[in-house]
Amino acid sequence: MGTQRTLCTLLVLLLLYVSGRAYKFDMFKQNLEPQEGDVRLFGSQNISEGRVEVYHDGKWGTVCDDNWDMTEAQVVCRQLNFPGAKSVVIGKDYGQAPGPIWLDDINCKGTEKQLTTCVFKNWGETDCSHKEDVGVVCETGSIDTAISSSIHSLDHSISLSDDLGKIFDSGNDCDFRIIVRSPTGNKLDDGTLQMVETTICAHKVILSNSPLLKASVGIDNITVNISLSCQPHFTSFIRYLYTRKMDVTLSSALCLHQMASNFGIKQLKEDIGRLFSEILPDDSTFEKQVSLYQYAVDTEDLILEENSIRYLAWNFENFTMSPAWTGISAELLGALLTRSDVVVSDEYFVLQSVESWISEMGNSTSLKTQADLLSHIRFPMIPAEKLFEMESSSRLFSAHKNLYFENILKAFQFNVLLFGNLTNPKYNKQNADYQPRIYTAEPWSAVIDLSNIRDQYRQPIRYNNRFNGYDYRQSYTYGQSNNKFFRTPALKSLLFKDKIMNWRAYILQSQYECSNYGLRCESVPMARLVNENQVNLDSNILFRNQLLVMCNGKYVCQVQSFKSYMAPITTNGTQAPSYPCPDDKYTYRFVVRPEYV
């Protein structure tokens, strides 16, 4: 009885609104019209499979299967930001193909970034019929499984949510039409885009809470232009405005995030943005991570932008060795180089990576842009022995001789004078040049791997290591594998090469283990990194040590700072790490990070 009264009340409110003029909303305008040379997979419900179609002269057309093999398929899949191709499909019916056959006898090397840069006959020159249209199935890593099985329920509902959902589903007494139009990619004879459209009937009293939908008095309909791939999800988006709850899959997340962003639904935008963290580790090619970063910049989503670039920073070395590396923008590279949370073996690796990127880009990168990127290299943090080799080993030394000389001088002065005798204002210890990133090369880090129980009891191991020409004994592993002893210099400067710091690293997995060390752990597991030196340190040296949590030895899923020698470990079993680790197999790397303050 109460529910019926509620429904009646809502319907009365709905009828209070009068009809009026229409309003047009061009959503995702930048994505509406395809560009020359674009490719798509058409005719399959699976986003990674379909008939290969190419956009040329304002129309989508197909590709003949003559001379087509996995090499060409790889080019198509990488152009679509998939890791690679799984198979070629010949003879499968993907539905009617009304357009022309654009390409025939195509021959690719496999390194092309666009299919249309491969060798082929002239556009439209073919002896094929549409029965010979070729299709492909692209690799998606573990994303296929995630898309099909991973459903995330977002629920911000109120007591009347289910009733409001029934009103939307029924369409009874709706007074506001939303005309959803999507371009097919083809053009009509008059040159305009061919569109498909659908209509959703809604209620002003509900949508008036979302001002950007223009559901106000005097307006009785709007037209929304939206990409064809997102059209199936628009009804779910409007229904969310009634119920404030919805199920989101990873395949629908991007479209729903775009809708929430464009229509100002902040809570939905933020919630879906958090789901993207589950996608980030899935692509070893880093194409999706780069695409998400660029999308975040375009939509001005600062949370998603930070989430994407942080993953790239934490996994910098893998990123530099991925297919996506040479295709990134100077803006993205510059944004990475300004960060101190870049996880890398040492600063020399950063320099080599930037030099490699600049060399790969060739003349497309101006000397000014090159200098701007090189200026973000923290030369004082480069190991001293590498500084001596730089003039002969650097690819760009001759093109930027003054920049290199000035920064190498700054680095040498840091190593032999530090800041005490430097009066030049450019040598300011607060400058980012003197602040370390997260360097993992020996002797600055040690690893504890608890995934192999057989190593729980083992004999002490001792081996030699060198730092800036100084030879000393380092890294003893005692007894149980949950603790490790290692040594580092006090600072990344030759002035401190003989001042050795003794460190003890622990992974405490239970409150019992914590109590054995006289500790009370707020949560477990807990990491502990203790300086065992008896002598006082230089008061100007501050240790900002970090714990890296590695998932399956493949990627960094969490970076945690130590406070009072302790760092809580976030895992799937306790608090969620920044990026998920499906198998809960973790490796812990303790990083000593001294800074002169």
Side-chain angles (χ1 to χ4, degrees):
M1 186 71 181
T3 299
Q4 291 180 340
R5 186 181 297 111
T6 299
L7 290 172
C8 291
T9 303
L10 288 169
L11 290 172
V12 170
L13 289 172
L14 294 173
L15 293 172
L16 293 176
Y17 279 76
V18 296
S19 62
R21 65 184 187 277
Y23 190 87
K24 183 176 181 180
F25 196 103
D26 282 329
M27 190 177 178
F28 321 146
K29 191 171 184 180
Q30 69 275 17
N31 294 329
L32 289 181
E33 189 165 359
Q35 302 300 307
E36 178 72 19
D38 281 355
V39 296
R40 70 180 183 184
L41 302 181
F42 193 84
S44 171
Q45 292 185 346
N46 190 333
I47 62 172
S48 60
E49 178 188 354
R51 179 175 60 232
V52 178
E53 297 191 359
V54 184
Y55 192 75
H56 170 65
D57 197 25
K59 292 182 179 180
W60 287 102
T62 61
V63 181
C64 180
D65 59 21
D66 290 351
N67 202 43
W68 182 280
D69 59 23
M70 284 295 289
T71 305
E72 288 72 34
Q74 294 285 3
V75 175
V76 168
C77 291
R78 286 201 303 271
Q79 185 175 344
L80 292 170
N81 290 330
F82 290 105
K86 184 183 293 184
S87 62
V88 173
V89 181
I90 295 175
K92 183 172 180 177
D93 184 7
Y94 286 111
Q96 185 178 5
I101 300 173
W102 279 134
L103 302 180
D104 190 7
D105 287 329
I106 191 164
N107 185 15
C108 299
K109 297 177 182 177
T111 57
E112 295 87 352
K113 293 187 176 180
Q114 280 199 315
L115 183 66
T116 54
T117 61
C118 300
V119 177
F120 59 91
K121 292 180 178 181
N122 292 328
W123 287 102
E125 184 178 323
T126 181
D127 57 0
C128 297
S129 69
H130 278 303
K131 291 182 179 179
E132 299 170 90
D133 289 341
V134 74
V136 299
V137 179
C138 295
E139 292 278 3
T140 58
S142 60
I143 295 179
D144 271 340
T145 303
I147 287 176
S148 61
S149 63
S150 181
I151 297 176
H152 303 267
S153 296
L154 304 181
D155 192 345
H156 305 294
S157 58
I158 56 177
S159 58
L160 298 178
S161 289
D162 291 338
D163 295 333
L164 293 172
K166 292 176 182 177
I167 290 178
F168 173 78
D169 295 338
S170 70
N172 291 338
D173 298 302
C174 59
D175 60 352
F176 187 74
R177 290 190 310 135
I178 305 172
I179 303 165
V180 185
R181 304 174 74 241
S182 302
T184 64
N186 295 320
K187 288 187 177 180
L188 301 175
D189 292 339
D190 61 2
T192 59
L193 282 174
Q194 182 186 54
M195 307 289 283
V196 295
E197 71 176 46
T198 185
T199 300
I200 298 172
C201 197
H203 304 86
K204 288 183 181 179
V205 69
I206 302 297
L207 302 189
S208 60
N209 292 322
S210 306
L212 293 180
L213 278 166
K214 307 297 181 182
S216 57
V217 175
I219 298 177
D220 62 3
N221 69 83
I222 62 169
T223 298
V224 176
N225 290 332
I226 190 172
S227 64
L228 188 62
S229 60
C230 287
Q231 191 184 88
H233 306 297
F234 197 77
T235 300
S236 297
F237 170 71
I238 297 299
R239 194 178 194 278
Y240 170 84
L241 302 179
Y242 284 68
T243 64
R244 296 292 162 172
K245 59 182 180 180
M246 73 184 332
D247 290 335
V248 180
T249 64
L250 295 181
S251 57
S252 67
L254 184 60
C255 288
L256 293 169
H257 185 273
Q258 287 178 317
M259 295 170 194
S261 176
N262 281 273
F263 288 113
I265 313 301
K266 184 178 179 181
Q267 189 170 42
L268 180 62
K269 174 183 173 181
E270 291 178 353
D271 284 351
I272 295 178
R274 293 186 185 97
L275 297 183
F276 288 129
S277 64
E278 300 201 10
I279 301 174
L280 286 169
D282 274 330
D283 186 2
S284 60
T285 71
F286 284 84
E287 298 284 2
K288 285 183 172 57
Q289 293 90 330
V290 173
S291 296
L292 271 179
Y293 169 79
Q294 192 56 56
Y295 166 71
V297 171
D298 292 342
T299 58
E300 299 181 347
D301 188 329
L302 298 181
I303 295 175
L304 180 56
E305 180 182 339
E306 169 59 22
N307 200 17
S308 301
I309 197 169
R310 183 180 61 186
Y311 183 84
L312 297 175
W314 287 1
N315 295 278
F316 185 80
E317 290 194 15
N318 287 340
F319 182 30
T320 63
M321 293 180 281
S322 73
W325 173 251
T326 55
I328 68 172
S329 65
E331 290 74 20
L332 172 53
L333 180 53
L336 278 168
L337 295 175
T338 62
R339 299 177 69 98
S340 293
D341 64 345
V342 172
V343 177
V344 68
S345 56
D346 58 31
E347 191 68 20
Y348 189 61
F349 184 93
V350 180
L351 173 62
Q352 289 180 309
S353 300
V354 173
E355 289 180 337
S356 174
W357 183 88
I358 292 173
S359 298
E360 189 73 28
M361 298 301 290
N363 295 331
S364 64
T365 306
S366 68
L367 288 174
K368 182 182 183 304
T369 299
Q370 294 177 22
D372 288 343
L373 293 172
L374 290 169
S375 68
H376 292 303
I377 301 298
R378 303 180 181 185
F379 281 83
M381 297 292 104
I382 293 176
E385 65 271 18
K386 299 295 184 182
L387 296 172
F388 290 103
E389 307 169 3
M390 201 167 292
E391 183 173 358
S392 59
S393 63
S394 171
R395 304 184 187 188
L396 303 175
F397 193 94
S398 59
H400 300 279
K401 191 173 295 185
N402 290 339
L403 184 151
Y404 276 85
F405 273 136
E406 180 179 331
N407 282 285
I408 290 173
L409 175 61
K410 184 192 297 185
F412 277 131
Q413 289 175 324
F414 173 77
N415 273 281
V416 298
L417 295 175
L418 211 53
F419 299 102
N421 298 321
L422 299 181
T423 58
N424 190 323
K426 289 192 295 185
Y427 303 134
N428 181 355
K429 61 187 176 182
Q430 303 302 324
N431 190 294
D433 288 349
Y434 302 104
Q435 296 172 10
R437 305 186 201 270
I438 304 177
Y439 301 124
T440 60
E442 295 178 349
W444 299 103
S445 73
V447 174
I448 294 180
D449 184 358
L450 300 182
S451 62
N452 192 344
I453 304 300
R454 288 175 299 179
D455 287 342
Q456 187 171 6
Y457 297 99
R458 58 186 179 184
Q459 295 300 315
I461 299 171
R462 186 175 73 180
Y463 54 89
N464 293 341
N465 197 6
R466 301 181 67 88
F467 171 74
N468 289 338
Y470 179 75
D471 190 17
Y472 57 93
R473 301 288 177 179
Q474 185 246 345
S475 195
Y476 296 78
T477 304
Y478 292 103
Q480 292 185 334
S481 60
N482 70 339
N483 94 55
K484 181 170 284 191
F485 172 84
F486 65 107
R487 289 172 150 181
T488 71
L491 190 67
K492 289 183 70 69
S493 169
L494 289 176
L495 291 174
F496 290 85
K497 71 171 187 176
D498 296 330
K499 191 166 186 179
I500 305 304
M501 308 300 299
N502 299 313
W503 299 95
R504 178 83 62 181
Y506 306 84
I507 297 293
L508 306 174
Q509 301 181 80
S510 67
Q511 291 293 350
Y512 177 77
E513 288 184 354
C514 292
S515 63
N516 282 346
Y517 291 103
L519 302 172
R520 183 182 179 277
C521 300
E522 294 183 3
S523 63
V524 289
M526 180 72 69
R528 188 173 186 234
L529 181 58
V530 181
N531 167 25
E532 295 190 336
N533 285 48
Q534 300 299 317
V535 297
N536 292 329
L537 288 173
D538 188 319
S539 60
N540 290 319
I541 297 178
L542 179 65
F543 289 95
R544 305 184 192 274
N545 298 336
Q546 302 287 314
L547 176 72
L548 310 183
V549 182
M550 297 282 296
C551 177
N552 292 316
K554 294 179 180 178
Y555 60 89
V556 178
C557 61
Q558 184 68 39
V559 175
Q560 196 79 26
S561 298
F562 282 91
K563 295 181 180 178
S564 300
Y565 306 115
M566 307 284 277
I569 297 174
T570 54
T571 65
N572 292 348
T574 55
Q575 306 171 55
S578 296
Y579 308 101
C581 183
D583 299 325
D584 279 342
K585 293 182 179 179
Y586 300 102
T587 302
Y588 305 97
R589 183 180 289 273
F590 294 74
V591 180
V592 174
R593 196 163 167 258
E595 185 177 336
Y596 199 86
V597 295

